[in-house]
Amino acid sequence: MMGVGKSTIGKILSKKLSISFIDVDKLIESKEKNSINNIFKNKGEHYFRKIEEKITLDELKRNNSIISLGGGAFLNKSIRSAVKTSSISFWLDVKIDLLISRLKKTKKRPLLYKKNLFETMNKIYLERKKSYSEADFRIKCNLLTPDEIVMKIFKIYESTRN
């Protein structure tokens, strides 16, 4: 979900594990030479999702990397299937109220350009929750610091490698 801290957590975790970090949204912006906001505005969500799928599937073929998927990527069956067969996945779950406090001033989230932010966020969360629940592990992040979240993921990762 947008605003949960995927990029922040991914960067910290990649340093701890000494492996590369890939932020799919940043990669899309780099390859398209445009912001996600502008891609949505000028070419539409369908175009964005097609690019997101191709880039994500390519990145999932790499070994030993931490990948931060876009908030909607896991809804894509091809991406979800590739993640399940090649990776360990984590759902960073954050309550809607906390997400809203993090995102209320952002101008970078094209799906949030609606008038009622709570209603919009709640709708997106409820639509995505079933897909997110297919992740290998769910971390409830509401009361945790980024370092605490990283430690939880690290412990799970270490236990799955043995």
Side-chain angles (χ1 to χ4, degrees):
M1 186 72 175
M2 64 186 99
V4 298
K6 297 180 300 292
S7 297
T8 300
I9 301 304
K11 287 175 192 171
I12 298 168
L13 187 61
S14 74
K15 285 180 185 165
K16 183 167 185 58
L17 293 170
S18 298
I19 58 178
S20 64
F21 171 70
I22 296 142
D23 183 322
V24 172
D25 284 347
K26 296 286 183 220
L27 200 53
I28 291 169
E29 289 180 334
S30 174
K31 290 187 179 203
E32 285 290 302
K33 295 178 178 47
N34 213 338
S35 70
I36 289 174
N37 206 14
N38 283 335
I39 296 168
F40 263 74
K41 194 184 323 179
N42 299 323
K43 296 185 178 181
E45 184 175 0
H46 180 74
Y47 176 86
F48 172 79
R49 296 295 176 200
K50 282 291 191 194
I51 291 170
E52 178 182 54
E53 178 180 50
K54 182 188 181 327
I55 290 173
T56 301
L57 292 175
D58 287 346
E59 291 303 317
L60 285 167
K61 292 174 187 167
R62 301 176 82 189
N63 288 327
N64 288 334
S65 59
I66 306 289
I67 301 174
S68 171
L69 299 178
F74 208 66
L75 304 178
N76 178 305
K77 287 180 184 176
S78 297
I79 293 172
R80 201 165 55 248
S81 176
V83 167
K84 286 180 176 189
T85 58
S86 69
S87 308
I88 301 169
S89 57
F90 293 88
W91 170 19
L92 303 180
D93 193 13
V94 175
K95 287 184 179 180
I96 299 294
D97 293 343
L98 183 53
L99 288 176
I100 288 170
S101 71
R102 292 178 182 179
L103 297 169
K104 64 184 169 192
K105 293 180 182 171
T106 186
K107 301 288 187 229
K108 296 181 177 182
R109 309 286 181 164
L111 295 178
L112 297 183
Y113 292 159
K114 309 283 190 283
K115 292 191 181 199
N116 187 328
L117 186 58
F118 178 81
E119 190 177 293
T120 302
M121 286 296 296
N122 199 45
K123 182 177 186 265
I124 291 170
Y125 180 83
L126 292 174
E127 287 170 354
R128 294 178 175 185
K129 187 176 180 179
K130 186 174 188 292
S131 293
Y132 289 166
S133 70
E134 292 185 41
D136 295 319
F137 300 96
R138 177 182 182 187
I139 310 248
K140 293 186 179 185
C141 303
N142 300 312
L143 302 174
L144 302 176
T145 66
D147 288 331
E148 290 170 328
I149 296 166
V150 167
M151 281 311 298
K152 279 185 170 269
I153 294 170
F154 179 77
K155 286 177 183 173
I156 292 167
Y157 173 75
E158 287 295 303
S159 71
T160 61
R161 289 180 52 184
N162 299 327

